[in-house]
Amino acid sequence: MRLALMQAYKNLGQTKDNPSVGCVIVKNNSVIGAGQTSINGRPHAEFNAITFAKDEVKNTDLYVTLEPCSNYGKTPPCVNLISKKRIKKVFFSVLDPDPLSYKKSIAFFKKKKIKIKKNILYSEIKNFYKSYFKYKKNNLPFVTAKIAISNDFFTKDRRNKWITNFYARSRGHYIRSSCDSILSTSKTILDDNSKLTCRIPGLENRSPSRIILDKNLMIPLKSSVFKTSKKHNTIIFFNRFNKSKIKYLKKNKVKLFYAPLEQDGNFDLKKILIKIKKFGFSRLLVESGTSLIKNLLSNNLIDDFYLFQSKTFLKKNGKKSFKSIFNIYLKRKKKNYIKVNLFGDKLIYFNIKNV
């Protein structure tokens, strides 16, 4: 099952409205097939594992991270394929929360005399599917936030563009590759000329769709996000009209959506997130300065949080401290240090909301 979970991780964030599922087929205690949900959600993991198995799958054991689907959609149900191929045993971890599939495979397999066992690696795999559970049960996307700070909690260095080292930044790009959308602000774009893409060799095509809050349409047309908008899906939420700029942006494939402001002069973030979910996005990564992250945390709109902390103390060269936000919203949350070598920098994961 852990091998199946490793398969599921491969396309996390790349399967649209379908969950990323991993599947492994075992014969005589040897793995003869493995697969994951394909990019954009189809074919499913079970189909891929069976199709690309290196041996006959009759009388084999099938391990899959999520309950196999039982409904006819754009493809036939996986339970039918499993039965047709005369697989002997099915092991899965968690039940599919989709009402079209929930618990239905159990009755199907019992009728077909296929042995089943569930709840293997349950806690670990349930945590993996946090975003999918929320997608099925909530009108908001699953929101992950990340920020980089110095050892003394500053988010800006007066001398350098980067707070953390190359290895920490690369890990941040990897996190981008597991999300289908990324949210930032015009201020962040203006400060950093951010591209908001994944630039790990081999994963460039897994860059998330870019969503930017730019209420006054302040981002210059020469910014990197607009230079690459024909290649990377780019969405702008705005409030103040600028006809010539809007015309130029639309010509460059940028999608623009008008959104009203609250009394404090800012967007209603919950309404923005609901809109993002309606666009079809389920895993949203927030990369911005402290203001947006503070607003999201204070409104209980963030599900989990990645804090990259440099080994460097900036002292008088640091600005925009994150310490008060950390103390109020993160200090008491469950955390763990992710065991990855960042050559002195640290990556701390905070579980803001339980499954």
Side-chain angles (χ1 to χ4, degrees), residues 142-146 175 179 284-286 302-306:
F142 186 86
V143 179
T144 298
K146 80 174 184 70
I175 293 172
C179 296
L284 177 70
L285 175 64
V286 178
I302 291 178
D303 295 284
D304 58 11
F305 199 101
Y306 289 95

Side-chain angles (χ1 to χ4, degrees), residues 147 149-150 152-156 290 318-326:
I147 200 166
I149 61 171
S150 64
D152 45 357
F153 283 83
F154 291 107
T155 62
K156 294 287 183 182
T290 56
K319 60 179 182 176
K320 296 192 176 180
S321 176
F322 189 69
K323 193 161 191 176
S324 63
I325 299 173
F326 175 85

Side-chain angles (χ1 to χ4, degrees), residues 75-89:
T75 56
C78 289
V79 293
N80 285 8
L81 179 64
I82 291 168
S83 174
K84 180 181 177 181
K85 294 294 182 178
R86 300 178 71 180
I87 287 169
K88 182 172 63 174
K89 296 179 184 177

Side-chain angles (χ1 to χ4, degrees), residues 275-311:
K275 192 77 173 175
I276 289 171
K277 167 76 181 295
K278 288 180 178 177
F279 292 158
F281 300 116
S282 61
R283 292 177 57 84
L284 177 70
L285 175 64
V286 178
E287 285 193 31
S288 70
T290 56
S291 294
L292 177 60
I293 286 177
K294 180 182 178 181
N295 287 340
L296 289 166
L297 283 169
S298 65
N299 286 287
N300 198 31
L301 294 173
I302 291 178
D303 295 284
D304 58 11
F305 199 101
Y306 289 95
L307 183 69
F308 288 87
Q309 189 167 31
S310 169
K311 63 181 179 180

Side-chain angles (χ1 to χ4, degrees), residues 6 13 23 46 49 58 102 132 138 146 154 167 175 177 182 202 210 212 217 220 228-229 248 269 280 289 302 308 325:
M6 291 170 66
C23 181
E46 298 93 325
K58 180 181 177 182
Y102 183 68
Y132 177 59
N138 203 296
K146 80 174 184 70
F154 291 107
Y167 305 98
I175 293 172
S177 75
I182 184 169
R210 304 175 299 189
I212 304 165
L217 292 178
T228 57
S229 57
Y248 175 88
L269 294 177
I302 291 178
F308 288 87
I325 299 173

Side-chain angles (χ1 to χ4, degrees), residues 163-351:
I163 293 283
T164 50
N165 65 26
F166 169 81
Y167 305 98
R169 297 198 303 274
S170 296
R171 187 71 179 188
H173 282 262
Y174 176 73
I175 293 172
R176 286 179 182 178
S177 75
S178 68
C179 296
D180 54 25
S181 51
I182 184 169
L183 178 67
S184 194
T185 65
S186 56
K187 189 173 188 316
T188 298
I189 303 298
L190 289 167
D191 287 348
D192 303 331
N193 193 23
S194 310
K195 293 184 177 73
L196 302 178
T197 55
C198 176
R199 296 190 292 281
I200 295 175
L203 295 181
E204 297 93 341
N205 63 340
R206 299 196 178 202
S207 293
S209 292
R210 304 175 299 189
I211 305 170
I212 304 165
L213 306 180
D214 187 7
K215 60 184 177 182
N216 296 320
L217 292 178
M218 295 290 291
I219 300 174
L221 298 177
K222 293 183 179 180
S223 296
S224 294
V225 287
F226 295 148
K227 286 182 178 178
T228 57
S229 57
K230 288 183 178 179
K231 181 179 180 182
H232 299 290
N233 187 30
T234 306
I235 297 168
I236 303 286
F237 282 98
F238 74 100
N239 178 262
R240 182 177 294 178
F241 283 89
N242 181 328
K243 289 185 178 180
S244 60
K245 198 167 193 177
I246 289 172
K247 183 178 179 181
Y248 175 88
L249 292 175
K250 285 184 176 179
K251 186 178 179 181
N252 283 274
K253 307 298 183 183
V254 177
K255 302 177 182 72
L256 294 108
F257 295 90
Y258 174 85
L261 301 179
E262 297 287 276
Q263 289 184 347
D264 62 2
N266 294 313
F267 292 119
D268 183 319
L269 294 177
K270 188 170 184 179
K271 288 181 179 177
I272 293 289
L273 293 179
I274 290 171
K275 192 77 173 175
I276 289 171
K277 167 76 181 295
K278 288 180 178 177
F279 292 158
F281 300 116
S282 61
R283 292 177 57 84
L284 177 70
L285 175 64
V286 178
E287 285 193 31
S288 70
T290 56
S291 294
L292 177 60
I293 286 177
K294 180 182 178 181
N295 287 340
L296 289 166
L297 283 169
S298 65
N299 286 287
N300 198 31
L301 294 173
I302 291 178
D303 295 284
D304 58 11
F305 199 101
Y306 289 95
L307 183 69
F308 288 87
Q309 189 167 31
S310 169
K311 63 181 179 180
T312 304
F313 290 85
L314 293 181
K315 299 180 180 179
K316 64 180 181 179
N317 291 309
K319 60 179 182 176
K320 296 192 176 180
S321 176
F322 189 69
K323 193 161 191 176
S324 63
I325 299 173
F326 175 85
N327 287 336
I328 294 169
Y329 300 106
L330 295 176
K331 191 174 183 180
R332 294 175 180 85
K333 296 294 183 182
K334 183 180 178 181
K335 69 178 181 181
N336 69 284
Y337 291 85
I338 295 179
K339 295 179 181 178
V340 56
N341 189 357
L342 301 179
F343 292 86
D345 289 359
K346 293 183 290 190
L347 175 54
I348 311 168
Y349 168 79
F350 293 86
N351 182 12

